[in-house]
Amino acid sequence: MPSHRYRDVYERVSVPLTDRRWPSARITEAPLWVPVDLRDGNQALAEPMDPERKRALFELMVTMGYKEIEVGYPSASQTDFDFVRLIRDADLAPEDVTIVVFTPARRDLIERTVESVEGIANDVVIHMYTATAPVWREQVLGRSRDEVAKLITAGGRDVLELAGGQENVRFEFSPEVFVLTEPDFVLQVCDSMTTLWDATPRRPVILNLPATVEVATPNVYADQIEYMHRNLARRDAVILSVHPHNDRGTGIACAELAVLAGAQRVEGCIFGNGERTGNVDIATLALNLHAQGVDPMIDFSDIDRIRRTVEHCTRMPVAERHPYVGDLVYTAFSGTHQDAIKKGFAAHRERAARAGRSEREIPWDVPYLPIDPADVGRSYDAVIRVNSQSGKGGIAYLLDTGYGIELPRRLQIDFAKHVQRLTDETGDEVTAAVLRELLITVYAPVSERIRLSKCVIDASSAHLALEVDGRTVERAANTDDPAESLATMATEAGLPMEVLSVTHQTADRVGPDARIAYLEYRSSGITQWAIGIGDSPAEAACRAVVAAAARISADNAYPAARVRTA
């Protein structure tokens, strides 16, 4: 790799900051979130949104609780211009939502932008930008540092002339590529704008400092933001904003550290859409705060609905492993993870019971799950899924949540071997239904050679008949333990077994008033398990003995390959 062709950002931008305060700061409240999906995110689409999609996405943002929304680049296309007019004409924006429109520092484009917001009763922000970094000054604009400063001032005057008289209009300035701009120069042009626009606490100016191209580790961005935060003139009349991109894959960290460093406002896209590798992901940022006990001030309680709308509007899928929203982010396939999650759910239920409160009312502290999936509208059904990497904990969890089947621990261990063999052979993920079918196939097999032809048990008597290869053994049995009597009958019929233990369970989801018996037995020196289902504990235990006899008669043949995985 020709790494020698690139320079360390420290050689390009030196931030005069030595006594950093951001490393010891804490985020205790959410910043103002400003989604730019309708502008920046829309520009990044191979097929930009049509009016119907833009409207659907705007209405989603309003429903989620965003109070400031950048709605477009009105001078860039007729579609964007018309959409801004639609917001006014269709009265789409509640009165507490601020509308932001974006423009370069060029008079004709500023005029078009101001025209687009005429008549909008909501608060409006006119967002003007100019590239300020040396490479952009020299190669794109072809201007010196002083000439760029004059260009910015001229654009600011045009904005003030054309919109300054409207009481509902405020101003925003972005020194594009802030991260590669000399700190003294960016401070100079930002202070010139707050002076020109007469920023006051009652009518603050937004200074937006973008990582237009992410080029350094997040601590460098934090230093740059803190330097501006501590040195800007009229600081109490400035809303300090950031707009991180994700070129290095650390946009989330850049935004979080920027807030620690003094940023009050974050621009991004709902799920991180945007040019190249995207804008910063607001959903992740907001839910990171939620996971730390800080109200994100945005409603992600139905995250799947939000995802469906965003995917429809952008025609871009959200990845399965996307934080918080992906299909698999609350799913564990690993056996160790599954076991820990299963135990964590059980402990959570116990804590709630001891406190006499619902599970949704007590602090969340479950291994591997930083938030309760229910907070974002996810059920627990998909939390644990089973494949060849899974273990007994996940298997037991699926059977329990899917069918109310609670396997004894030693049976969990034994059954896990059968599941492992099945998944290794098929390569498929298995569902709760497949697990139940495999469980019955292995531990409650049906044999044509063996059947329980009579099972009459009441409080005072028990009468059993076991048929093996056409021969019937029939007798009165011990009413206290008919399974023991039936095991003796099976042994006499040439199917030797010793009952070691019988565990009973009520299983309403298996059948009305159904009882399950888990039989642990020894045959020919080998300990095995069998399962029986009946209308009473005694009948279930007897059917488990018959299942054991069927397993013995089949010489413990392995039947898992006969189970369907689809």
Side-chain angles (χ1 to χ4, degrees):
M1 298 293 291
S3 302
H4 64 278
R5 300 178 58 220
Y6 304 96
R7 288 180 292 163
D8 190 318
V9 72
Y10 291 99
E11 298 177 11
R12 307 168 73 179
V13 179
S14 177
V15 184
L17 185 69
T18 56
D19 58 333
R20 296 167 181 82
R21 299 171 187 170
W22 62 262
S24 60
R26 297 290 182 270
I27 301 176
T28 58
E29 62 181 11
L32 174 63
W33 308 113
V34 182
V36 296
D37 301 72
L38 295 171
R39 192 270 298 177
D40 204 332
N42 190 41
Q43 292 169 201
L45 300 175
E47 187 176 352
M49 285 178 267
D50 54 38
E52 178 270 328
R53 284 178 165 82
K54 290 199 79 167
R55 178 170 182 165
L57 192 52
F58 178 81
E59 290 175 339
L60 171 70
M61 293 173 183
V62 169
T63 301
M64 293 172 66
Y66 287 104
K67 298 304 180 186
E68 193 168 309
I69 302 171
E70 190 169 86
V71 298
Y73 196 153
S75 64
S77 72
Q78 189 64 44
T79 299
D80 269 24
F81 183 92
D82 290 344
F83 181 68
V84 178
R85 306 306 291 158
L86 177 67
I87 291 173
R88 182 201 67 178
D89 297 341
D91 196 22
L92 298 183
E95 62 181 18
D96 62 345
V97 172
T98 297
I99 302 300
V100 184
V101 286
F102 190 72
T103 181
R106 206 176 88 187
R107 185 176 179 88
D108 60 326
L109 302 181
I110 293 170
E111 288 176 338
R112 181 70 167 163
T113 303
V114 173
E115 180 187 355
S116 74
V117 297
E118 287 177 358
I120 292 180
N122 298 68
D123 286 345
V124 171
V125 170
I126 295 178
H127 180 182
M128 186 188 82
Y129 78 98
T130 302
T132 54
V135 172
W136 276 254
R137 294 195 308 255
E138 296 160 10
Q139 299 181 21
V140 180
L141 300 176
R143 302 188 185 216
S144 68
R145 179 165 150 162
D146 287 344
E147 288 171 332
V148 168
K150 290 176 182 177
L151 173 66
I152 292 169
T153 301
R157 288 198 186 101
D158 291 335
V159 169
L160 189 62
E161 174 192 337
L162 295 167
Q166 301 177 40
E167 291 186 1
N168 67 321
V169 175
R170 292 186 292 111
F171 307 129
E172 175 179 356
F173 172 63
S174 286
E176 190 188 8
V177 207
F178 159 78
V179 289
L180 285 173
T181 303
E182 307 92 330
D184 66 314
F185 181 54
V186 78
L187 188 63
Q188 171 195 327
V189 295
C190 285
D191 283 347
S192 72
M193 298 310 292
T194 56
T195 299
L196 175 64
W197 287 337
D198 191 23
T200 66
R202 294 190 62 184
R203 194 180 186 185
V205 166
I206 300 165
L207 293 177
N208 184 56
L209 308 177
T212 310
V213 182
E214 192 183 30
V215 294
T217 51
N219 62 296
V220 175
Y221 192 46
D223 282 353
Q224 292 174 312
I225 298 302
E226 182 169 330
Y227 174 78
M228 296 295 289
H229 168 58
R230 291 167 59 179
N231 290 281
L232 281 168
R234 304 193 186 204
R235 182 63 186 90
D236 63 343
V238 169
I239 297 172
L240 191 59
S241 177
V242 292
H243 181 114
H245 278 252
N246 198 42
D247 300 86
R248 301 179 78 253
T250 56
I252 296 292
C254 282
E256 291 180 328
L257 267 58
V259 173
L260 292 173
Q264 302 152 286
R265 179 181 183 271
V266 176
E267 296 184 355
C269 290
I270 296 176
F271 295 129
N273 179 34
E275 291 285 6
R276 304 181 309 280
T277 54
N279 295 77
V280 73
D281 180 335
I282 294 179
T284 300
L285 285 169
L287 290 169
N288 282 353
L289 289 184
H290 173 69
Q292 298 299 309
V294 177
D295 185 349
M297 304 302 290
I298 299 294
D299 184 2
F300 284 98
S301 61
D302 190 355
I303 204 165
D304 288 330
R305 177 182 65 87
I306 296 168
R307 183 188 64 184
R308 287 193 299 271
T309 302
V310 171
E311 288 180 330
H312 165 74
C313 294
T314 63
R315 302 178 177 91
M316 291 178 61
V318 173
E320 290 180 336
R321 297 294 182 186
H322 192 112
Y324 297 107
V325 65
D327 282 336
L328 298 179
V329 297
Y330 304 104
T331 301
F333 289 102
S334 160
T336 54
H337 289 206
Q338 292 174 342
D339 184 60
I341 291 171
K342 178 176 179 288
K343 291 173 179 174
F345 276 139
H348 186 72
R349 287 193 294 269
E350 290 172 7
R351 287 194 298 272
R354 286 196 303 268
R357 301 165 67 187
S358 75
E359 293 176 31
R360 298 282 289 156
E361 293 178 319
I362 64 170
W364 180 258
D365 196 13
V366 173
Y368 296 111
L369 294 176
I371 68 169
D372 184 345
D375 291 350
V376 290
R378 290 285 177 86
S379 70
Y380 298 133
D381 294 344
V383 170
I384 291 178
R385 291 162 62 177
V386 172
N387 64 11
S388 61
Q389 304 301 308
S390 305
K392 63 184 184 301
I395 295 165
Y397 178 85
L398 285 187
L399 287 171
D400 186 8
T401 57
Y403 296 100
I405 296 173
E406 300 174 3
L407 300 182
R409 180 168 177 78
R410 291 193 301 279
L411 178 53
Q412 291 178 28
I413 295 169
D414 190 80
F415 185 44
K417 294 182 292 186
H418 294 279
V419 176
Q420 183 73 47
R421 185 169 176 179
L422 174 65
T423 54
D424 283 345
E425 289 177 356
T426 65
D428 294 335
E429 177 188 345
V430 294
T431 63
V434 170
L435 289 174
R436 181 181 183 276
E437 183 179 353
L438 178 60
L439 185 75
I440 297 301
T441 302
V442 173
Y443 298 106
V446 176
S447 171
E448 294 181 357
R449 294 180 54 203
I450 304 163
R451 71 186 185 95
L452 185 63
S453 55
K454 182 180 291 186
C455 181
V456 180
I457 304 170
D458 57 33
S460 59
S461 64
H463 201 88
L464 305 173
L466 180 67
E467 184 179 320
V468 179
D469 292 331
R471 293 178 55 245
T472 300
V473 179
E474 185 171 353
R475 69 179 57 169
N478 182 348
T479 57
D480 294 331
D481 193 356
E484 189 74 49
S485 299
L486 190 61
T488 301
M489 295 163 63
T491 299
E492 293 173 356
L495 300 169
M497 72 176 74
E498 175 190 357
V499 174
L500 302 178
S501 69
V502 181
T503 304
H504 294 281
Q505 179 202 342
T506 300
D508 292 336
R509 277 181 277 174
V510 173
D513 299 321
R515 300 293 188 273
I516 300 179
Y518 303 104
L519 172 69
E520 188 177 20
Y521 65 94
R522 184 182 294 118
S523 179
S524 302
I526 299 173
T527 299
Q528 295 277 20
W529 288 85
I531 293 175
I533 301 173
D535 293 335
S536 68
E539 181 185 348
C542 288
R543 294 195 180 281
V545 170
V546 174
R551 295 197 71 191
I552 295 167
S553 72
D555 195 25
N556 298 320
Y558 178 73
R562 297 197 297 271
V563 176
R564 298 186 305 275
T565 59

